[in-house]
Amino acid sequence: MAQLSGYVHELASALKRKDGQRAAELLSTTSSAGLIAHQLASAGRPVPTGQLSAQLPEPWSDMVTAFLRCLVGQHNGERAVACKEFREGYAASLASMLNADKGTESEWLIPLALGAAATLKVLSSMADEELARKGAPANQLSECAISLQNFFRGLATSKSSQAKKDASVAVVCVMMKVYFKLNAINNCKQPLQQIELNRLFDNAKEAHKVTLRYYTGRLAAYDEDFLKADEHLTYAFEHCVTTSPNNIRRVLRYLIPVKMLLGVLPSEGLLRQYGLPEYEPIRRAVKEGNLGLLLSSLESNQVRFIQSGTFLLLERLQLVVVRRLFRKVALVHAQMNPAKAHQVPLALFEAALQLQGIEKDPLELQCLMANLIFRKYIKGYLAYKSRVVVLAKTDAFPILSAVQLADPLAAT
Amino acid sequence: MYVFKANEKKEGEKGFCKKSEYAAENIARTRENGTRDRSASEPGNYHHGATETLARAVPEDGVHAEGLAERAARKAAAKRARADKLPARISKKLRKTIGGKKKLALQDKMLRLLPKCSPLQPEPKTAASLPTCLNTARGGTATTSSQSNTHTRHPGTGFPLKLLRTLKAAPHALTEPSRAEEDARLQLRQHRFGAFGAAVAQEGSQEDDVALLESGGYGTSEALEKEYLRLTSLPRASDVRPPAVLAVALKLVKAKWLRRPDYAAASEQLKSIRQDLTVQHVRDALTVDVYETHGRLALEVNDLAEFRRCHGVLRQLYAEELPGNPAEFEAYGLLYTQATAAARNTLAMELSLVPQHLLDHSFVRHALAVCTAVRSGNYARFVALYDGAPRMSPYIMDKLLGQMRMFALQSTTFAFKPMPVPLSYLAAQLGLETEEEAVDLAEEYGAVVDRQERCLVTKVSATKQL
């Protein structure tokens, strides 16, 4: 067909010229290769390997064959087959080419590699969906991760080529996405460490920086290192372009719980602007110290929170809410009984909770109080006989952020 | 005495003149240990047909024994031997009956009789497993027919022994022995044991007319217990037990566990049941039951790796809409992650793996509540959650109890300042029954307790680092 031969001709010349950019364009799923594959698929003809091997040098002919076969498979709806073809025929050889030569020789392959990495991820996730529907084990994504590791190794371990190292950041971004989707986030540490080691972050493109910070922030939140999480996610939030509200929304979804744990509440406007209604009741609960509301909203949105991995973060807010409630109770008591302002009876606290519809037996109440004091959310002590909390005269309720960091139970 | 004579006569028939060291060992053991029921003690490689050999396992040295004790032993042995006759009869019947139901009934009877029989010696393992493995490599005979068991009673040489060791270590090594050597050995053994099936005579590839298990078919073995060996190739149909037998085998495992928990043995049996199920592509309620049983046993003995494996498979099985207890196992998974998580993020990951429709189930909610309590240090709530803990959750909660108690102690000593705390309160918070226990625990951690006043002296204790 005219189109196919024209395409091959162009590709051959691009490869000869070592024009990575042009070659990458041609070898992407959006190029005219897609059209060709569509023609082949509808005609039911196999990919003409002879023609390709005549025009293209080895090993490119095999790779391009695999690529075209993959596209044909896509058109036929056989995602898993297509993904496999792409990975084994195309991506693997590309990666080995990169690995084979560590110097600047194969720098022109970089755009190709990046294109391959991105395409591979997309193909793998689609293939996995198909496999899951059929009931077969959906392992394409994990294989994809392995291929990506090969790419990363090829790029990051090049000693002389700076361009390659910089490109590895892009690959890492794709890897992060894959690992998070696979829920295998322990694997993220290694490439991130590599990046730290080589200080590649500063040279990376803005988009990559934001992506990286988003993922490192999420990792820090998982590890319950809230300061670091706050820093990274705020960076991502501030540097994210305003033209992609979806991305900002994603960042906020993790930034908000972290900030709430540190004592900073989001404004209603923010929540409305980025469409995060699930945080609205939580925000109100924390503000008012309404434990009942917090628990019920956690309950109703449980599935959503668990899927985004924030459920356990938000559970930690319980202590924050209890503290706030107690602060209010202390204030009320101070008003009612100014003489004994610092001695707040537990009964009052129990009544406050009952107002919110929560029953807690006295043992648990004392446990809660003791915890608050032990973890230094409240300065004071408990007097057992009189069932009274005696608050410190000054600064009985220290600032939340300072307290969170010194929390002795944060080690769990 | 009748028994011994029978023994000698049968011995003479076979022409065995030397006793293996195993037989001697076993004889000695039966003598000293008496008639205590030890059917649960040997790692599971009983073959039901092998109960026949029990008749011959009775100590022969008893013939020349004197003294009351020995006579008593002999009497007991005789009783056992008589009991052994029964299974022999039943097994003969079994071989004859074809109807599945009748077979099952007979096997049930066998099951009930097993406790009364004398224990089996370990030696069939060498001979039995060796042929099994070699045969699975080349499609040879099964060892489960009672006939073969009688023959393999005296393994004889030390040579099978050696192979056994390499067997367990590297089963693949067995597929490679030189053909000629193998054939020679095979011939020798056949000669010794008499004619087996015609199949064994053919050596070589598995593509011959040996009755291998076809895909989609069921096996024909009836052994209630089978040693677990890694399969290197398609097994013979007579090695593999059909689901009906496996169901009974599972019941046997459960019964034995209740009588005496021997995890190694039970685990091996369960693995071999699982293997048989997999080979026959059986994925139904029985499979679920097997994996659940194995998972629960693993929980009880703290075998986390095995539990995780079973749980993984169970997740897949439940996804195929098989009946079982998915919520229960999800709950265990969550609790286990909380109890043993090295990395902090594992609980989050585990949580995201729980199927959504189970999140509302009371078991899962309970597990989540426990995790929350542990994470926020709410020890009172943790203790309260022991009530209503589903099935085996208390086992796992026990692991968390230690750190909860320590936290409780720390928190209480820190928070209750001027006056000491009465022990009753402490005991309640620590979840202990008596105040004495509370005192012991507290002092273990270095707190100071005033026994006179029955209270925990917080002021002094707080200064010490607990």
Side-chain angles (χ1 to χ4, degrees), chain B residues 91-348:
Chain B
S91 61
K92 251 202 234 159
K93 260 204 207 154
L94 256 173
R95 257 176 294 138
K96 288 213 213 106
T97 51
I98 313 171
K101 254 200 223 165
K102 233 193 164 186
K103 263 198 174 139
L104 273 178
L106 283 172
Q107 282 170 342
D108 259 323
K109 227 178 169 182
M110 181 82 78
L111 239 180
R112 270 177 274 132
L113 275 176
L114 265 177
K116 301 208 196 94
C117 298
S118 48
L120 184 59
Q121 60 245 34
E123 49 78 12
K125 190 197 263 209
T126 51
S129 60
L130 167 59
T132 317
C133 225
L134 272 184
N135 292 335
T136 51
R138 357 152 82 241
T141 329
T143 47
T144 53
S145 66
S146 53
Q147 206 183 18
S148 67
N149 264 324
T150 39
H151 296 302
T152 58
R153 188 224 180 270
H154 289 296
T157 61
F159 139 78
L161 236 189
K162 254 188 276 153
L163 268 181
L164 174 65
R165 262 181 250 126
T166 56
L167 189 80
K168 292 270 186 201
H172 304 289
L174 276 182
T175 55
E176 305 311 351
S178 75
R179 286 281 157 212
E181 229 186 349
E182 271 316 356
D183 303 345
R185 286 191 211 135
L186 202 55
Q187 292 293 335
L188 191 59
R189 231 181 303 120
Q190 275 178 35
H191 220 54
R192 241 195 344 229
F193 300 144
F196 269 1
V200 135
Q202 344 269 335
E203 62 265 11
S205 63
Q206 308 149 344
E207 295 92 58
D208 57 20
D209 55 341
V210 165
L212 286 176
L213 190 64
E214 328 92 47
S215 56
Y218 283 162
T220 57
S221 157
E222 292 152 22
L224 284 183
E225 291 196 331
K226 182 174 141 188
E227 189 178 356
Y228 173 66
L229 295 162
R230 274 187 181 274
L231 288 180
T232 52
S233 62
L234 215 54
R236 276 206 67 187
S238 43
D239 277 336
V240 177
R241 302 169 278 176
V245 178
L246 289 174
V248 184
L250 180 64
K251 268 202 274 184
L252 176 60
V253 170
K254 289 183 186 172
K256 283 212 172 129
W257 179 267
L258 287 174
R259 219 194 357 232
R260 199 192 105 173
D262 180 353
Y263 183 65
S267 183
E268 179 163 1
Q269 283 309 305
L270 283 168
K271 277 200 232 172
S272 89
I273 297 181
R274 277 160 59 176
Q275 187 182 69
D276 281 348
L277 284 172
T278 317
V279 151
Q280 292 170 103
H281 303 292
V282 172
R283 280 169 92 84
D284 60 5
L286 174 63
T287 323
V288 171
D289 199 2
V290 172
Y291 277 102
E292 283 192 353
T293 314
H294 205 170
R296 292 206 188 98
L297 291 192
L299 261 187
E300 208 171 311
V301 298
N302 219 355
D303 187 352
L304 178 58
E306 190 58 52
F307 172 78
R308 285 250 176 265
R309 278 197 287 269
C310 294
H311 189 31
V313 178
L314 276 172
R315 274 208 177 117
Q316 286 175 2
L317 289 173
Y318 293 141
E320 292 172 21
E321 322 246 311
L322 289 170
N325 298 297
E328 183 189 345
F329 277 83
E330 290 301 335
Y332 294 157
L334 286 174
L335 285 175
Y336 230 135
T337 314
Q338 178 65 43
T340 57
R344 295 176 199 156
N345 50 30
T346 16
L347 191 58

Side-chain angles (χ1 to χ4, degrees), chain A residues 275-333:
Chain A
L276 290 165
E278 60 262 25
Y279 286 117
E280 176 48 49
I282 297 185
R283 179 189 158 282
R284 240 184 326 133
V286 175
K287 190 146 199 216
E288 301 165 9
N290 193 337
L291 192 60
L293 183 58
L294 178 70
L295 290 177
S296 65
S297 53
L298 273 182
E299 181 93 25
S300 48
N301 281 319
Q302 196 184 39
V303 181
R304 228 199 293 199
F305 287 140
I306 288 185
Q307 292 217 313
S308 60
T310 46
F311 186 70
L312 294 169
L313 279 181
L314 293 168
E315 281 201 319
R316 281 182 149 241
L317 283 175
Q318 278 188 45
L319 221 54
V320 175
V321 169
V322 170
R323 171 191 171 277
R324 188 144 205 133
L325 181 63
F326 195 71
R327 192 172 187 177
K328 277 188 171 181
V329 169
L331 278 174
V332 165
H333 175 79

Side-chain angles (χ1 to χ4, degrees), chain A residues 77-240:
Chain A
E78 296 163 5
R79 300 269 157 80
V81 174
C83 176
K84 202 154 178 245
E85 274 286 345
F86 187 82
R87 192 179 59 238
E88 287 167 11
Y90 181 63
S93 344
L94 199 55
S96 50
M97 265 201 265
L98 274 174
N99 264 315
D101 165 55
K102 299 288 174 107
T104 47
E105 271 296 307
S106 47
E107 256 181 27
W108 66 280
L109 287 173
I110 292 180
L112 283 166
L114 298 184
T119 325
L120 186 59
K121 169 185 166 287
V122 173
L123 284 177
S124 304
S125 33
M126 289 204 285
D128 267 350
E129 275 173 39
E130 181 191 74
L131 284 175
R133 258 203 312 256
K134 286 199 198 152
N139 54 2
Q140 295 299 316
L141 212 53
S142 20
E143 309 260 343
C144 163
I146 301 178
S147 299
L148 286 176
Q149 277 173 348
N150 287 338
F151 273 115
F152 179 64
R153 219 178 307 134
L155 288 173
T157 54
S158 70
K159 303 231 176 353
S160 46
S161 164
Q162 190 55 37
K164 273 201 189 177
K165 288 208 194 135
D166 292 334
S168 63
V169 176
V171 177
V172 172
C173 286
V174 182
M175 278 172 90
M176 294 286 117
K177 291 186 198 164
V178 171
Y179 282 139
F180 267 84
K181 202 157 186 186
L182 279 176
N183 238 334
I185 47 190
N186 290 323
N187 299 353
C188 295
K189 294 219 170 83
Q190 215 235 359
L192 286 175
Q193 266 179 358
Q194 275 263 2
I195 294 192
E196 285 297 311
L197 219 57
N198 298 337
R199 276 164 292 137
L200 296 168
F201 185 74
D202 311 312
N203 288 343
K205 283 197 288 187
E206 192 70 27
H208 293 320
K209 280 193 192 175
V210 169
T211 318
L212 270 178
R213 278 288 170 262
Y214 168 64
Y215 283 113
T216 45
R218 274 184 73 176
L219 277 175
Y222 268 129
D223 284 340
E224 301 185 357
D225 182 357
F226 295 122
L227 262 191
K228 186 171 168 201
D230 184 23
E231 184 192 321
H232 287 202
L233 286 170
T234 317
Y235 180 96
F237 176 59
E238 287 168 4
H239 286 76
C240 190

Side-chain angles (χ1 to χ4, degrees), chain A residues 183-186 189 219 222-225 299 302-303 306-307 309 311-313 315-316 318-319 360-361 363-364 366-371 373-376 380-385 408-412, chain B residues 316 338 343-353 356 359-360 365 368 371-372 374-381 384 403-404 407 410-412 414-422 424-425 428-429:
Chain A
N183 238 334
I185 47 190
N186 290 323
K189 294 219 170 83
L219 277 175
Y222 268 129
D223 284 340
E224 301 185 357
D225 182 357
E299 181 93 25
Q302 196 184 39
V303 181
I306 288 185
Q307 292 217 313
F311 186 70
L312 294 169
L313 279 181
E315 281 201 319
R316 281 182 149 241
Q318 278 188 45
L319 221 54
K360 285 219 191 280
D361 64 274
L363 216 55
E364 193 170 343
Q366 288 175 320
C367 164
L368 267 178
M369 283 295 114
N371 275 356
I373 296 175
F374 181 50
R375 292 160 88 166
K376 309 212 175 38
Y381 61 86
L382 274 165
Y384 184 78
K385 284 232 178 68
L409 204 61
T412 27
Chain B
Q316 286 175 2
Q338 178 65 43
R344 295 176 199 156
N345 50 30
T346 16
L347 191 58
M349 295 203 299
E350 186 71 28
L351 206 45
S352 57
L353 290 173
Q356 286 182 11
L359 283 171
D360 268 336
R365 283 154 75 106
L368 266 180
C371 293
T372 314
V374 172
R375 292 168 75 88
S376 52
N378 194 338
Y379 40 87
R381 185 120 186 82
Q403 76 192 63
M404 280 281 99
F407 187 70
Q410 284 178 323
S411 155
T412 323
F414 189 82
F416 286 86
K417 272 303 173 31
M419 305 296 292
V421 172
S424 51
Y425 172 77
Q429 289 288 33

